[in-house]
Amino acid sequence: MRISVNGEERSVEAATLDRALVELGYDGAVVATALNRDFVPKTERGTVRLAEGDAIEIIAPMKGG
């Protein structure tokens, strides 16, 4: 299915947010996620289903000052 990831159109086979993160290369990464502008806690990612056209935002902390 086609989705938007951080504003970039991508294609994924994953049906849930947690599987999409693995497919997109974020497996094990410490990130914050939002689906269609709504924050999704890590504990809920496995139950959040994706649909065609969804927009995912993935935010990773950065080191430095």
Side-chain angles (χ1 to χ4, degrees):
M1 85 181 75
R2 301 293 291 174
I3 60 172
S4 171
V5 179
N6 293 346
E8 180 181 320
E9 203 167 309
R10 301 285 296 268
S11 181
V12 296
E13 294 183 22
T16 59
L17 181 55
D18 65 339
R19 298 309 308 158
L21 290 173
V22 171
E23 189 175 331
L24 294 166
Y26 290 93
D27 188 29
V30 176
V31 295
T33 55
L35 179 63
N36 300 322
R37 297 185 168 207
D38 292 323
F39 173 73
V40 179
K42 182 178 181 177
T43 57
E44 295 179 18
R45 292 177 188 162
T47 61
V48 173
R49 307 232 8 119
L50 299 177
E52 186 79 25
D54 276 346
I56 299 171
E57 294 294 328
I58 305 169
I59 303 166
M62 299 182 75
K63 293 183 180 180

